[in-house]
Each structure stands twice: as C-alpha cells, then as structure tokens.
Amino acid sequence: MEKLFEQQVKRLQEHHFLILYWAALAEDKGLRYNITNAFDDLKFQGVTRTKQTAVAYIEALDVLNFIELKDESNRKNIYITEYGAEALAMLVSHKNFKTRKSGYLEVSR
C-alpha cells in the first residue's frame, strides 16, 4: 500500500498541491475553506477558468481520501485528511511545486 500511496502522490499536479496547501493553511488559521474559495484562488492564479474544472480537481482529491468534503452552512468545505497531510508533506519535501497565495486566506487574516 505504501508503494501505491507514493505513486498516487507522484501523479498529483500543481492544482492538487495548491488545494491541499490552501486547505491546510485554512485549517491552521481556524478558517473554513470551501469549493468556491478554491475555485476563486485557482482562477486568480491562472490555473483554471471554470468552476467545473476546479470541482473535478477537488473530487479527485476526495476520491484519493486526501481531503474530506463536509456540507456546512450551505457550503461544501474542504478539510485535509491525514493522508492528504502526508501527501502534502511529501510534495513540499521534494519541492515539486511552489506555494502560491490564496486571495481568500490573505483577506481573512
């Protein structure tokens, strides 16, 4: 299973990394980070232009059990799981991608 996990992490792309990263930052700050926030941030960073694409990225992370989606107050909030945190740590340690700022998290300081 460890080999499978490593292969899954190796296949993650920058947009997956950013969603994991921003979800972890939001949790660290005690904020709720939802699908709309992720879409807005990905769009601002020029990663995607459509919400449908952002949702597909998020659903892929959910299927891998790297995030958990919870319906809260009419929003689908994104929470990083222990596997997502481990995947994020691997990506950061291998310096696969650079972090980018989240407009939502910058405003919500």
Side-chain angles (χ1 to χ4, degrees), residues 47-104:
V47 175
T48 188
R49 292 186 345 212
T50 67
K51 191 166 187 176
Q52 183 178 8
T53 303
V55 169
Y57 300 154
I58 291 164
E59 287 177 345
L61 291 170
D62 186 39
V63 167
L64 291 171
N65 197 30
F66 289 174
I67 61 168
E68 182 179 356
L69 296 174
K70 293 183 183 177
D71 286 317
E72 299 172 329
S73 304
N74 267 351
R75 301 268 189 242
K76 282 206 180 257
N77 292 317
I78 302 168
Y79 295 94
I80 194 164
T81 65
E82 67 179 271
Y83 300 108
E86 193 174 329
L88 180 60
M90 285 176 71
L91 292 170
V92 169
S93 70
H94 291 115
K95 299 180 182 176
N96 294 40
F97 306 106
K98 292 184 179 183
T99 61
R100 296 192 197 191
K101 291 187 180 187
S102 157
Y104 169 73

